Amino acid sequence: MKTHSANSSKLIYISGPMTGLPGLNFEAFDNAAKVLQARGDRVCNPADRGREWINKNGNRPMSEPEYRRILIDCCNDIHKCDGIYLLKGWENSRGAKQELCLALIRQIKIETEQI
């Protein structure tokens, strides 16, 4: 995961839909990362995990066990974060809904992308 150091900045996890979207929606994740970084936050971008998976596995479909493993890794990332930033369409993503539940349990800051 890419993070940028700054003493007073918050670490924000980006959450949103990937599965079934063109380019796995990486562009939206990367654009959100730029917005968050511009305001001084550090970013945990799960699109980086997606890119790593594609580099290792190509464009073959992800199996359910592989999907669950990545989601567990992403949830572990959320445990290190101060907030979560929900991208447009998060409510249609089973992974983003699980990530939001974890953020609610942890009582961290929740923001929704404004478009």
Side-chain angles (χ1 to χ4, degrees), residues 9 16 21 26 28 31 41-42 46 51 54 59 64 67-70 77 79-80 82 87 94-95 101 103 105 108 112:
S9 66
L21 294 176
F26 289 167
N31 288 338
D41 290 320
R42 296 173 295 132
R51 283 186 268 268
I54 290 170
N59 286 322
E64 185 63 23
Y67 173 84
R68 286 194 305 264
R69 178 72 250 163
I70 287 179
D77 289 340
H79 279 285
K80 302 170 194 167
D82 303 298
L87 296 176
R94 95 179 147 137
C101 286
I105 290 166
I108 61 176
T112 304

Side-chain angles (χ1 to χ4, degrees), residues 29-87:
F29 281 82
D30 294 340
N31 288 338
K34 290 175 189 171
V35 168
L36 295 168
Q37 290 165 342
R39 73 178 195 194
D41 290 320
R42 296 173 295 132
V43 173
C44 187
N45 186 350
D48 295 335
R49 276 194 198 283
R51 283 186 268 268
E52 289 172 17
W53 192 88
I54 290 170
N55 286 339
K56 290 178 186 173
N57 299 284
N59 286 322
R60 73 169 174 79
M62 187 180 290
S63 70
E64 185 63 23
E66 289 168 323
Y67 173 84
R68 286 194 305 264
R69 178 72 250 163
I70 287 179
L71 185 59
I72 288 168
D73 291 342
C74 289
C75 287
N76 287 333
D77 289 340
I78 293 169
H79 279 285
K80 302 170 194 167
C81 292
D82 303 298
I84 188 169
Y85 185 85
L86 300 168
L87 296 176

